[in-house]
């Protein structure tokens, strides 16, 4: 079994989401998810895909591909997946720390849902194996990085109050 999991997620970057010309690459890149290898040896990410729940106007939801992963993630290492197309130079300083590698979704749109909450799913389609699944509630605080506590992603003040 692969020892990777979603460890953090920043679904609601600080600042205006869109202007008349759309979302800037810098604003898109401020939305990200961290995938961490919690095991003791490297994990081959080939064949692993990251999905999220895409909600429709009628309230129903379906899984939507965020990005296909590749490469090897060493023990304890973190891959940060930014929304947008990049390049890395558009990533704000506060979003450059805490990870070993980075990549972009390749889409010029936000991926994570704020109005309904969302769910991060690491899935291996070839074997139909769920590697990891974690969710967060609707309306996450603006500019806050959600931390994993069990099977939920919560604001750090919520994580502290649970102890």
């Amino acid at each position: 079994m692969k020892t990777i999991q979603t460890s953090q997620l920043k679904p609601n970057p600080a600042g205006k989401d869109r202007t008349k010309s759309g979302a800037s690459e810098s604003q898109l890149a401020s939305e990200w998810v961290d995938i961490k290898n919690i095991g003791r040896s490297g994990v081959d990410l080939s064949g692993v895909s990251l999905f999220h729940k895409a909600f429709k106007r009628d309230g129903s939801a379906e899984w939507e591909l965020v990005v296909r992963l590749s490469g090897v993630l060493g023990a304890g290492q973190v891959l940060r997946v930014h929304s947008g197309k990049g390049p890395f130079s558009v990533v704000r300083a506060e979003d450059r720390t805490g990870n070993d590698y980075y990549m972009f979704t390749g889409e010029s749109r936000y991926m994570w849902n704020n109005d309904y909450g969302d769910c991060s799913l690491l899935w291996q389609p070839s074997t139909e194996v769920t590697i990891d699944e974690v969710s967060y509630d609707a309306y996450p605080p603006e500019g806050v990085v959600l931390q994993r506590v069990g099977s939920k992603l919560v604001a750090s003040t919520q994580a502290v109050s649970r102890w």
Side-chain angles (χ1 to χ4, degrees):
M1 187 61 141
K2 296 194 185 283
T3 56
I4 55 173
Q5 69 177 20
T6 298
S7 59
Q8 300 186 119
L9 196 143
K10 187 177 175 188
N12 189 8
K16 189 169 179 71
D17 285 348
R18 291 176 178 82
T19 64
K20 288 182 181 181
S21 60
S24 71
E25 283 300 325
S26 179
Q27 186 67 9
L28 286 171
S30 293
E31 180 187 75
W32 50 260
V33 59
D34 280 352
I35 298 165
K36 183 174 185 176
N37 179 353
I38 58 171
R40 295 182 182 188
S41 59
V43 172
D44 183 1
L45 299 176
S46 301
V48 176
S49 295
L50 173 64
F51 285 82
H52 83 107
K53 278 200 175 164
F55 287 87
K56 299 178 182 178
R57 292 189 190 275
D58 67 3
S60 65
E62 62 184 37
W63 291 108
E64 179 182 73
L65 178 67
V66 174
V67 71
R68 288 180 178 85
L69 305 176
S70 63
V72 174
L73 195 59
Q77 291 187 323
V78 175
L79 168 65
R80 181 163 293 165
V81 180
H82 296 271
S83 293
K85 294 184 177 183
F88 187 68
S89 60
V90 303
V91 177
R92 297 174 182 160
E94 68 266 20
D95 297 316
R96 291 182 179 210
T97 61
N99 61 302
D100 300 288
Y101 302 101
Y102 73 93
M103 65 182 294
F104 292 89
T105 61
E107 300 285 335
S108 290
R109 63 187 177 97
Y110 294 103
M111 299 306 295
W112 301 99
N113 208 321
N114 295 331
D115 294 342
Y116 300 97
D118 210 333
C119 190
S120 170
L121 174 71
L122 292 168
W123 170 257
Q124 192 151 9
S126 63
T127 58
E128 297 187 357
V129 169
T130 297
I131 299 166
D132 181 59
E133 187 174 341
V134 65
S135 64
Y136 63 91
D137 294 331
Y139 306 108
E142 186 175 296
V144 171
V145 176
L146 304 180
Q147 307 289 323
R148 187 183 189 117
V149 176
S151 63
K152 292 291 284 188
L153 292 162
V154 298
S156 59
T157 56
Q158 291 175 307
V160 170
S161 67
R162 290 184 176 211
W163 301 112

